[in-house]
Amino acid sequence: MPKPKVFVTRLIPAKGLDLIREFCDADVWPDELPPSYEEILRRVRDVEGLVSLLTDKIDAGLMDAGPRLKVLSNMAVGVDNVDVPAATARKLPVGNTPGVLTDATADQTFALLLASARRVVEGEKYVRSGLWVTWGPQLLLGADFVGATLGIVGFGRIGQAVAKRAQGFDLRVIYHDPAAQPAFGASPVDLDTLLHESDFVSVHVPLTSATHHLVNPAFLAKMKPNAILVNTSRGGVLDQSALYDALKSKQIFAAALDVTDPEPLPSTHPLLELENCLIVPHLGSASKHTRDMMSFLAAQNLIAGLKGERLPNCVNPEVYKS
Ligand code: DGY
């Protein structure tokens, strides 16, 4: 019996890729840069399964280019790169990788928050550029954690894991998420209260049409002048030109971004000129074990879909209703 053909859009960790290769005839894109849309279009023509990353746009046209497709497996928890309604309309299950990246992303949120509050990157640049001449009583002063308020926007798995870590730092934690129950000592509040009271605001919502540019001029105007904004969700949740204005005019103290729109941010982007904006290249889930597990879950989803079984992690379970 021939193995089902699949296309994997990048060299993913062996934990998942070995499993895929055991069950499938896998065409794996070998380059560091992702395949172009046209390349994916060409390669899905005769495959039954596709493993994509958040860098791949998986739209209706691409689904139609692969008439034999049985499953779309995205190696990410976020699926904003996939047109899920189009997949559902074609009865194509879409898999994602929730849970396994919760802790790594919450850790990264705290790394960014601490680095921004205590001006770690500015300090490092200061030393390397030879500016450090003495201990200074007013040198690079940052924000205190104990007794400060952390506001979490979006209190799902990752937002809650951030709240859990915040307990260890003696932060007061409030959150805004009408769909979530209180946990880890965090109290629910409306968004305006959260923005008015928080010294640190961390965003943990998926990117949808409802959350696109949730962080806009009005949002930023409600934040405290000493506030730090952290975004480890998706770049599109934040209006970057509004953030630039708020940081440049010191309307807020600082921002730390794991994600931008687009990714990568062009090297001439104005945000990169600002000392009070820390930007890293979408590293929220970038730990060895986490990426191993993401690739493994993506492989499990793929193989289940190829076998006609229910995906262990399916974002559109409606496809199973007859
Ligand atoms: C995801 O899985 O959606 C993350 O953004 C990857 O880092």
Side-chain angles (χ1 to χ4, degrees):
M1 179 97 158
K3 292 177 175 177
K5 286 188 177 171
V6 300
F7 180 45
V8 183
T9 64
R10 219 84 70 78
L11 205 51
I12 64 172
K15 176 106 179 149
L17 197 52
D18 288 352
L19 187 62
I20 293 173
R21 287 191 161 128
E22 198 181 321
F23 286 92
C24 312
D25 174 4
D27 175 14
V28 181
W29 185 251
D31 295 352
E32 189 192 345
L33 288 179
S36 64
Y37 178 78
E38 291 68 32
E39 190 64 50
I40 304 178
L41 211 63
R42 259 194 298 282
R43 290 179 188 242
V44 295
R45 266 189 209 137
D46 65 343
V47 301
E48 292 179 49
L50 175 67
V51 177
S52 55
L53 305 186
L54 55 85
T55 41
D56 308 312
K57 183 174 175 227
I58 310 299
D59 63 7
L62 198 136
M63 295 169 204
D64 291 338
R68 303 182 62 209
L69 277 170
K70 289 183 179 158
V71 54
L72 301 174
S73 174
N74 206 42
M75 197 188 105
V77 67
V79 287
D80 46 284
N81 60 309
V82 181
D83 185 341
V84 178
T88 308
R90 289 160 180 76
K91 289 269 177 206
L92 267 175
V94 178
N96 72 339
T97 63
V100 294
L101 48 76
T102 300
D103 287 323
T105 309
D107 290 346
Q108 175 77 343
T109 303
F110 253 86
L112 291 176
L113 181 54
L114 280 162
S116 208
R118 298 307 303 271
R119 307 178 69 172
V120 173
V121 176
E122 281 174 84
E124 206 262 356
K125 280 188 195 152
Y126 187 82
V127 171
R128 278 185 197 267
S129 52
L131 293 169
W132 187 21
V133 286
T134 183
W135 181 88
Q138 308 262 23
L139 179 63
L140 289 173
L141 303 186
D144 289 297
F145 267 54
V146 173
T149 297
L150 168 66
I152 300 177
V153 182
F155 205 57
R157 279 180 294 259
I158 298 172
Q160 290 183 30
V162 169
K164 185 177 169 192
R165 282 151 180 77
Q167 290 185 312
F169 284 88
D170 288 341
L171 286 160
R172 169 185 173 239
V173 185
I174 54 181
Y175 73 88
H176 175 68
D177 187 337
Q181 294 303 313
F184 301 111
S187 313
V189 291
D190 60 62
L191 186 56
D192 279 6
T193 305
L194 182 143
L195 297 174
H196 285 130
E197 294 188 3
S198 297
D199 302 292
F200 311 133
V201 174
S202 193
V203 181
H204 300 281
V205 292
L207 176 60
T208 64
S209 51
T211 61
H212 182 256
H213 286 193
L214 169 75
V215 181
N216 57 19
F219 182 114
L220 292 159
K222 289 173 194 154
M223 290 174 67
K224 292 164 79 167
N226 67 307
I228 297 175
L229 175 75
V230 182
N231 186 14
T232 54
S233 62
R234 282 292 183 268
V237 167
L238 193 154
D239 174 348
Q240 289 173 173
S241 85
L243 179 67
Y244 175 83
D245 292 343
L247 290 171
K248 180 88 183 165
S249 65
K250 304 268 163 48
Q251 188 183 6
I252 65 169
F253 179 67
L257 312 178
D258 187 54
V259 288
T260 59
D261 182 20
E263 291 179 0
L265 209 56
S267 60
T268 54
H269 195 284
L271 278 178
L272 296 172
E273 294 162 11
L274 300 176
E275 289 292 346
N276 57 347
C277 189
L278 193 165
I279 306 182
V280 295
H282 202 150
L283 298 175
S285 64
S287 77
K288 170 85 177 71
H289 176 70
T290 301
R291 289 286 166 83
D292 280 352
M293 291 313 295
M294 287 168 71
S295 73
F296 189 67
L297 257 54
Q300 283 185 324
N301 282 333
L302 176 80
I303 292 162
L306 293 170
K307 289 181 176 166
E309 293 168 2
R310 204 181 173 98
L311 311 196
N313 291 289
C314 185
V315 298
N316 57 346
E318 314 87 89
V319 296
Y320 299 114
K321 290 190 189 128
S322 47

